[in-house]
Amino acid sequence: MNILNPLRIAGTLLALGAGMLAESQASAQTVTEIVKRGKVKVGVLIGAPPYGSVDAQGNAVGYDADVTALVGKYLGVPVEIVQLTPPSRIPALEAGKVDFLVATLAPTPERAKAVMFTIPYSAFQTGIYAKKGVAIKNWEDLRGRKVGVNRGSSVEREFTNREKELNLTILRFEDDATTMQALFSGQVEAIAGPDAQANAAIKARGESETELKFVFGMQPNSMTVRKDAYELKQWLNNMIYYIKQNGELNAISEKWVGGPLPQLPTF
Amino acid sequence: MQFQFEPVLAEADRILNGVLLTIGLSFGAIVLGLALAILLVAAKSLFGRWVGLLVDAYVELMRNTPFLVQLFMLFFGLPLLGIRMSGTEAALLAMTLNLGAYATEIIRAGVDSIHRSQLEAGVSLAMTERQVFQHVVLMPALARVWPALSSQFVLMLLASSICSFIAVPELSGTAAIIEQNTFRSFETYIVVTIIYLVLALTLKVALLWLGRKIFPRLSSVDRLDAKAEAA
């Protein structure tokens, strides 16, 4: 149970306030500025294992944290990881609390109005999960049901777009962990979510009664920079291409997702 | 920094529904929580020591655990025992139980401030035990602690924002959805902050007016005393 969340909300609000002040004190936008400062501040998602979670000491661990460590290695500066929840990712970036995000964000056109994305560095399949006895094979089978989703995730839109057509009751939760918990407790009949997170939750809880019903998409994830940080974005693109080629990213995928790196699209 | 409020204000319907739910939850919790607190204080006065201990245990349990944990216990925990309620029901119940505990403690302090000689005066006027409790103990006690109760009610109104964590679309939950749709975080929370401020100040004024209406016989000296105690 995540009892730190109110603190994080407060943190987000503080970040919003600080952001207005930060407008005047420009935060590092270029690679040179980051190297000159001597550390890189990266926003990482927590509450979404295996991509981002927290170990017993409170440190961020997972796919994203390992990729962030590689960024630090190639930049040649120490990394300061800032732990974020899904709703606070983009506000924290815009407020200048972090230089960029390695936070499991899907590069959607809506988001791209506010921020800029690198080429994808990870991807997962998104699917509908429910209890074993429930007959759900496609969207039509969800008609009139109560469904849960992580507020602010890219799959939320899948439900929102079908809300009226399928007469869905959508419950929006703070993160993947709470969304899964709502399914386990029977507060919702089905949830939409990424496979890696759902599988991790099912395995950790020993919830053999919960299963994947159908897959509806693949969600590639990009690193995220502020608008106008072209040079930083290009350097990160370059690095992502490099660790895809030399096998370092594949090793991270094997370690956390339990499978090889999927064919990542580029743009 | 350019502010664009249009995308946020385009969601006015959604915001209104969120405001109505926040008002409904708060109003329900205030009425039910106050009734619960009066019942518990009465039970403490009129029944034996064991009932008193039970009431104390409940008050301490609610006052020494975070509201978010109480909410999660009701929403995620109770289904394991076969009791399942919707997010809104769990929110109303959690708010009522939480406010009930704080109000019990506040009213108890008011009851403790009633002097023994008052009770003796009541008994010597041939009042029944119930009449003494109602006219000599409860009403004067409530009058004295009304300012403290009022501030607790306002705190509960603001704490209702935590209910967004169990997917209740009250004002804060709605704000989060709008923020997701528009990516206008600053603007969304500026609007929401102003709405909360207006709601809280309105509630404060309404409670002040209500206090004057219900406890008109309270002398201005008593009112000053109560203010000093609440401060």
mmCIF file of all heavy atoms in Angstrom, chain B residues 32-64:
data_model
loop_
_atom_site.group_PDB
_atom_site.id
_atom_site.type_symbol
_atom_site.label_atom_id
_atom_site.label_comp_id
_atom_site.label_asym_id
_atom_site.label_seq_id
_atom_site.Cartn_x
_atom_site.Cartn_y
_atom_site.Cartn_z
ATOM 1 N N LEU B 32 -23.674 12.967 9.354
ATOM 2 C CA LEU B 32 -23.596 11.617 9.938
ATOM 3 C C LEU B 32 -22.521 11.551 11.027
ATOM 4 O O LEU B 32 -22.721 10.925 12.069
ATOM 5 C CB LEU B 32 -23.303 10.588 8.841
ATOM 6 C CG LEU B 32 -24.401 10.408 7.794
ATOM 7 C CD1 LEU B 32 -23.921 9.507 6.658
ATOM 8 C CD2 LEU B 32 -25.657 9.812 8.426
ATOM 9 N N GLY B 33 -21.390 12.204 10.777
ATOM 10 C CA GLY B 33 -20.285 12.167 11.742
ATOM 11 C C GLY B 33 -20.660 12.852 13.048
ATOM 12 O O GLY B 33 -20.350 12.369 14.138
ATOM 13 N N LEU B 34 -21.380 13.995 12.928
ATOM 14 C CA LEU B 34 -21.803 14.722 14.133
ATOM 15 C C LEU B 34 -22.816 13.879 14.910
ATOM 16 O O LEU B 34 -22.739 13.761 16.145
ATOM 17 C CB LEU B 34 -22.409 16.076 13.733
ATOM 18 C CG LEU B 34 -22.768 17.010 14.887
ATOM 19 C CD1 LEU B 34 -21.533 17.334 15.721
ATOM 20 C CD2 LEU B 34 -23.380 18.306 14.363
ATOM 21 N N ALA B 35 -23.773 13.271 14.189
ATOM 22 C CA ALA B 35 -24.777 12.425 14.852
ATOM 23 C C ALA B 35 -24.084 11.265 15.573
ATOM 24 O O ALA B 35 -24.398 10.952 16.731
ATOM 25 C CB ALA B 35 -25.762 11.887 13.816
ATOM 26 N N LEU B 36 -23.118 10.650 14.883
ATOM 27 C CA LEU B 36 -22.382 9.529 15.472
ATOM 28 C C LEU B 36 -21.653 9.984 16.738
ATOM 29 O O LEU B 36 -21.699 9.307 17.780
ATOM 30 C CB LEU B 36 -21.371 8.993 14.448
ATOM 31 C CG LEU B 36 -20.424 7.894 14.925
ATOM 32 C CD1 LEU B 36 -21.191 6.609 15.201
ATOM 33 C CD2 LEU B 36 -19.330 7.628 13.883
ATOM 34 N N ALA B 37 -21.013 11.159 16.665
ATOM 35 C CA ALA B 37 -20.247 11.658 17.807
ATOM 36 C C ALA B 37 -21.161 11.915 19.005
ATOM 37 O O ALA B 37 -20.837 11.557 20.141
ATOM 38 C CB ALA B 37 -19.509 12.935 17.412
ATOM 39 N N ILE B 38 -22.338 12.523 18.757
ATOM 40 C CA ILE B 38 -23.277 12.814 19.860
ATOM 41 C C ILE B 38 -23.752 11.511 20.491
ATOM 42 O O ILE B 38 -23.817 11.382 21.720
ATOM 43 C CB ILE B 38 -24.464 13.663 19.346
ATOM 44 C CG1 ILE B 38 -23.969 15.073 19.007
ATOM 45 C CG2 ILE B 38 -25.577 13.730 20.384
ATOM 46 C CD1 ILE B 38 -24.993 15.954 18.312
ATOM 47 N N LEU B 39 -24.047 10.513 19.640
ATOM 48 C CA LEU B 39 -24.481 9.204 20.152
ATOM 49 C C LEU B 39 -23.400 8.588 21.038
ATOM 50 O O LEU B 39 -23.688 8.060 22.113
ATOM 51 C CB LEU B 39 -24.784 8.257 18.988
ATOM 52 C CG LEU B 39 -26.161 8.403 18.351
ATOM 53 C CD1 LEU B 39 -26.287 7.465 17.149
ATOM 54 C CD2 LEU B 39 -27.251 8.082 19.376
ATOM 55 N N LEU B 40 -22.152 8.660 20.566
ATOM 56 C CA LEU B 40 -21.062 8.032 21.319
ATOM 57 C C LEU B 40 -20.810 8.752 22.644
ATOM 58 O O LEU B 40 -20.578 8.115 23.669
ATOM 59 C CB LEU B 40 -19.776 8.011 20.475
ATOM 60 C CG LEU B 40 -19.801 7.066 19.264
ATOM 61 C CD1 LEU B 40 -18.494 7.128 18.503
ATOM 62 C CD2 LEU B 40 -20.088 5.639 19.697
ATOM 63 N N VAL B 41 -20.878 10.101 22.622
ATOM 64 C CA VAL B 41 -20.695 10.856 23.861
ATOM 65 C C VAL B 41 -21.824 10.520 24.834
ATOM 66 O O VAL B 41 -21.589 10.317 26.035
ATOM 67 C CB VAL B 41 -20.643 12.382 23.578
ATOM 68 C CG1 VAL B 41 -20.675 13.174 24.877
ATOM 69 C CG2 VAL B 41 -19.385 12.719 22.793
ATOM 70 N N ALA B 42 -23.060 10.435 24.310
ATOM 71 C CA ALA B 42 -24.201 10.081 25.162
ATOM 72 C C ALA B 42 -23.999 8.693 25.741
ATOM 73 O O ALA B 42 -24.208 8.467 26.943
ATOM 74 C CB ALA B 42 -25.492 10.142 24.343
ATOM 75 N N ALA B 43 -23.559 7.741 24.891
ATOM 76 C CA ALA B 43 -23.335 6.369 25.356
ATOM 77 C C ALA B 43 -22.292 6.352 26.469
ATOM 78 O O ALA B 43 -22.434 5.632 27.467
ATOM 79 C CB ALA B 43 -22.876 5.491 24.184
ATOM 80 N N LYS B 44 -21.254 7.177 26.304
ATOM 81 C CA LYS B 44 -20.203 7.239 27.331
ATOM 82 C C LYS B 44 -20.763 7.748 28.660
ATOM 83 O O LYS B 44 -20.386 7.268 29.731
ATOM 84 C CB LYS B 44 -19.075 8.182 26.880
ATOM 85 C CG LYS B 44 -17.884 7.458 26.311
ATOM 86 C CD LYS B 44 -16.765 8.417 25.979
ATOM 87 C CE LYS B 44 -15.819 8.615 27.142
ATOM 88 N NZ LYS B 44 -14.419 8.422 26.774
ATOM 89 N N SER B 45 -21.648 8.749 28.574
ATOM 90 C CA SER B 45 -22.194 9.336 29.802
ATOM 91 C C SER B 45 -23.208 8.423 30.463
ATOM 92 O O SER B 45 -23.268 8.341 31.692
ATOM 93 C CB SER B 45 -22.878 10.677 29.498
ATOM 94 O OG SER B 45 -22.036 11.496 28.759
ATOM 95 N N LEU B 46 -24.044 7.775 29.652
ATOM 96 C CA LEU B 46 -25.214 7.095 30.214
ATOM 97 C C LEU B 46 -24.955 5.627 30.531
ATOM 98 O O LEU B 46 -25.638 5.059 31.363
ATOM 99 C CB LEU B 46 -26.406 7.215 29.251
ATOM 100 C CG LEU B 46 -26.791 8.655 28.882
ATOM 101 C CD1 LEU B 46 -27.929 8.680 27.872
ATOM 102 C CD2 LEU B 46 -27.188 9.453 30.123
ATOM 103 N N PHE B 47 -23.994 4.993 29.847
ATOM 104 C CA PHE B 47 -23.757 3.574 30.095
ATOM 105 C C PHE B 47 -22.471 3.368 30.896
ATOM 106 O O PHE B 47 -21.789 4.319 31.240
ATOM 107 C CB PHE B 47 -23.716 2.779 28.790
ATOM 108 C CG PHE B 47 -24.999 2.868 28.021
ATOM 109 C CD1 PHE B 47 -25.060 3.562 26.813
ATOM 110 C CD2 PHE B 47 -26.167 2.272 28.510
ATOM 111 C CE1 PHE B 47 -26.252 3.656 26.113
ATOM 112 C CE2 PHE B 47 -27.349 2.372 27.806
ATOM 113 C CZ PHE B 47 -27.397 3.063 26.606
ATOM 114 N N GLY B 48 -22.162 2.117 31.127
ATOM 115 C CA GLY B 48 -21.067 1.790 32.051
ATOM 116 C C GLY B 48 -19.677 2.014 31.481
ATOM 117 O O GLY B 48 -19.500 2.584 30.400
ATOM 118 N N ARG B 49 -18.709 1.528 32.241
ATOM 119 C CA ARG B 49 -17.305 1.752 31.925
ATOM 120 C C ARG B 49 -16.881 1.042 30.639
ATOM 121 O O ARG B 49 -16.053 1.543 29.889
ATOM 122 C CB ARG B 49 -16.462 1.232 33.098
ATOM 123 C CG ARG B 49 -15.197 2.012 33.361
ATOM 124 C CD ARG B 49 -14.662 1.626 34.721
ATOM 125 N NE ARG B 49 -14.316 0.192 34.706
ATOM 126 C CZ ARG B 49 -13.067 -0.246 34.536
ATOM 127 N NH1 ARG B 49 -12.082 0.595 34.378
ATOM 128 N NH2 ARG B 49 -12.804 -1.536 34.541
ATOM 129 N N TRP B 50 -17.487 -0.152 30.395
ATOM 130 C CA TRP B 50 -17.053 -0.944 29.239
ATOM 131 C C TRP B 50 -17.406 -0.257 27.937
ATOM 132 O O TRP B 50 -16.617 -0.240 27.002
ATOM 133 C CB TRP B 50 -17.670 -2.343 29.290
ATOM 134 C CG TRP B 50 -17.038 -3.153 30.375
ATOM 135 C CD1 TRP B 50 -17.599 -3.517 31.570
ATOM 136 C CD2 TRP B 50 -15.698 -3.639 30.378
ATOM 137 N NE1 TRP B 50 -16.687 -4.208 32.321
ATOM 138 C CE2 TRP B 50 -15.511 -4.307 31.617
ATOM 139 C CE3 TRP B 50 -14.630 -3.577 29.469
ATOM 140 C CZ2 TRP B 50 -14.308 -4.917 31.958
ATOM 141 C CZ3 TRP B 50 -13.432 -4.178 29.809
ATOM 142 C CH2 TRP B 50 -13.278 -4.834 31.044
ATOM 143 N N VAL B 51 -18.598 0.332 27.903
ATOM 144 C CA VAL B 51 -19.002 1.075 26.712
ATOM 145 C C VAL B 51 -18.045 2.245 26.493
ATOM 146 O O VAL B 51 -17.598 2.512 25.377
ATOM 147 C CB VAL B 51 -20.462 1.575 26.849
ATOM 148 C CG1 VAL B 51 -20.847 2.444 25.657
ATOM 149 C CG2 VAL B 51 -21.412 0.392 26.975
ATOM 150 N N GLY B 52 -17.706 2.909 27.598
ATOM 151 C CA GLY B 52 -16.765 4.027 27.531
ATOM 152 C C GLY B 52 -15.425 3.602 26.949
ATOM 153 O O GLY B 52 -14.860 4.293 26.085
ATOM 154 N N LEU B 53 -14.945 2.436 27.375
ATOM 155 C CA LEU B 53 -13.662 1.927 26.871
ATOM 156 C C LEU B 53 -13.739 1.626 25.373
ATOM 157 O O LEU B 53 -12.802 1.918 24.620
ATOM 158 C CB LEU B 53 -13.267 0.652 27.636
ATOM 159 C CG LEU B 53 -12.607 0.888 29.001
ATOM 160 C CD1 LEU B 53 -12.346 -0.440 29.700
ATOM 161 C CD2 LEU B 53 -11.291 1.664 28.824
ATOM 162 N N LEU B 54 -14.866 1.045 24.938
ATOM 163 C CA LEU B 54 -15.057 0.742 23.515
ATOM 164 C C LEU B 54 -15.020 2.025 22.684
ATOM 165 O O LEU B 54 -14.378 2.080 21.635
ATOM 166 C CB LEU B 54 -16.402 0.030 23.299
ATOM 167 C CG LEU B 54 -16.412 -1.481 23.513
ATOM 168 C CD1 LEU B 54 -17.818 -2.036 23.332
ATOM 169 C CD2 LEU B 54 -15.461 -2.159 22.528
ATOM 170 N N VAL B 55 -15.736 3.037 23.178
ATOM 171 C CA VAL B 55 -15.759 4.322 22.466
ATOM 172 C C VAL B 55 -14.344 4.898 22.392
ATOM 173 O O VAL B 55 -13.894 5.348 21.333
ATOM 174 C CB VAL B 55 -16.718 5.318 23.161
ATOM 175 C CG1 VAL B 55 -16.601 6.712 22.531
ATOM 176 C CG2 VAL B 55 -18.152 4.820 23.076
ATOM 177 N N ASP B 56 -13.613 4.857 23.516
ATOM 178 C CA ASP B 56 -12.232 5.362 23.538
ATOM 179 C C ASP B 56 -11.361 4.626 22.518
ATOM 180 O O ASP B 56 -10.564 5.239 21.817
ATOM 181 C CB ASP B 56 -11.619 5.191 24.934
ATOM 182 C CG ASP B 56 -12.210 6.198 25.911
ATOM 183 O OD1 ASP B 56 -12.849 7.151 25.439
ATOM 184 O OD2 ASP B 56 -12.020 6.023 27.134
ATOM 185 N N ALA B 57 -11.526 3.296 22.466
ATOM 186 C CA ALA B 57 -10.718 2.487 21.549
ATOM 187 C C ALA B 57 -10.969 2.923 20.109
ATOM 188 O O ALA B 57 -10.022 3.109 19.327
ATOM 189 C CB ALA B 57 -11.059 1.005 21.718
ATOM 190 N N TYR B 58 -12.246 3.122 19.758
ATOM 191 C CA TYR B 58 -12.594 3.547 18.400
ATOM 192 C C TYR B 58 -11.994 4.925 18.092
ATOM 193 O O TYR B 58 -11.387 5.136 17.040
ATOM 194 C CB TYR B 58 -14.115 3.556 18.240
ATOM 195 C CG TYR B 58 -14.644 4.496 17.191
ATOM 196 C CD1 TYR B 58 -14.524 4.207 15.835
ATOM 197 C CD2 TYR B 58 -15.256 5.701 17.551
ATOM 198 C CE1 TYR B 58 -14.996 5.082 14.869
ATOM 199 C CE2 TYR B 58 -15.731 6.581 16.598
ATOM 200 C CZ TYR B 58 -15.599 6.272 15.259
ATOM 201 O OH TYR B 58 -16.054 7.139 14.311
ATOM 202 N N VAL B 59 -12.150 5.847 19.051
ATOM 203 C CA VAL B 59 -11.645 7.209 18.846
ATOM 204 C C VAL B 59 -10.128 7.184 18.636
ATOM 205 O O VAL B 59 -9.604 7.809 17.704
ATOM 206 C CB VAL B 59 -12.015 8.118 20.047
ATOM 207 C CG1 VAL B 59 -11.236 9.431 19.994
ATOM 208 C CG2 VAL B 59 -13.509 8.396 20.050
ATOM 209 N N GLU B 60 -9.420 6.421 19.468
ATOM 210 C CA GLU B 60 -7.955 6.372 19.354
ATOM 211 C C GLU B 60 -7.525 5.707 18.052
ATOM 212 O O GLU B 60 -6.560 6.126 17.412
ATOM 213 C CB GLU B 60 -7.338 5.644 20.560
ATOM 214 C CG GLU B 60 -7.474 6.415 21.864
ATOM 215 C CD GLU B 60 -7.015 7.870 21.747
ATOM 216 O OE1 GLU B 60 -5.923 8.098 21.202
ATOM 217 O OE2 GLU B 60 -7.762 8.770 22.179
ATOM 218 N N LEU B 61 -8.257 4.657 17.641
ATOM 219 C CA LEU B 61 -7.928 3.961 16.385
ATOM 220 C C LEU B 61 -8.026 4.924 15.202
ATOM 221 O O LEU B 61 -7.124 4.981 14.355
ATOM 222 C CB LEU B 61 -8.877 2.772 16.176
ATOM 223 C CG LEU B 61 -8.705 2.012 14.857
ATOM 224 C CD1 LEU B 61 -7.400 1.216 14.867
ATOM 225 C CD2 LEU B 61 -9.872 1.073 14.599
ATOM 226 N N MET B 62 -9.096 5.706 15.168
ATOM 227 C CA MET B 62 -9.303 6.591 14.025
ATOM 228 C C MET B 62 -8.383 7.814 14.071
ATOM 229 O O MET B 62 -7.975 8.327 13.037
ATOM 230 C CB MET B 62 -10.767 7.076 13.967
ATOM 231 C CG MET B 62 -11.795 5.989 13.786
ATOM 232 S SD MET B 62 -11.442 4.826 12.460
ATOM 233 C CE MET B 62 -12.074 5.677 11.034
ATOM 234 N N ARG B 63 -8.056 8.287 15.278
ATOM 235 C CA ARG B 63 -7.251 9.508 15.376
ATOM 236 C C ARG B 63 -5.766 9.227 15.225
ATOM 237 O O ARG B 63 -4.978 10.153 15.076
ATOM 238 C CB ARG B 63 -7.516 10.222 16.701
ATOM 239 C CG ARG B 63 -8.874 10.915 16.726
ATOM 240 C CD ARG B 63 -9.162 11.502 18.077
ATOM 241 N NE ARG B 63 -8.333 12.677 18.338
ATOM 242 C CZ ARG B 63 -7.700 12.905 19.478
ATOM 243 N NH1 ARG B 63 -7.788 12.043 20.457
ATOM 244 N NH2 ARG B 63 -6.988 13.983 19.639
ATOM 245 N N ASN B 64 -5.368 7.961 15.289
ATOM 246 C CA ASN B 64 -3.938 7.651 15.233
ATOM 247 C C ASN B 64 -3.541 6.810 14.025
ATOM 248 O O ASN B 64 -2.507 6.159 14.022
ATOM 249 C CB ASN B 64 -3.499 6.971 16.535
ATOM 250 C CG ASN B 64 -3.590 7.924 17.702
ATOM 251 O OD1 ASN B 64 -2.836 8.887 17.782
ATOM 252 N ND2 ASN B 64 -4.541 7.690 18.587
#
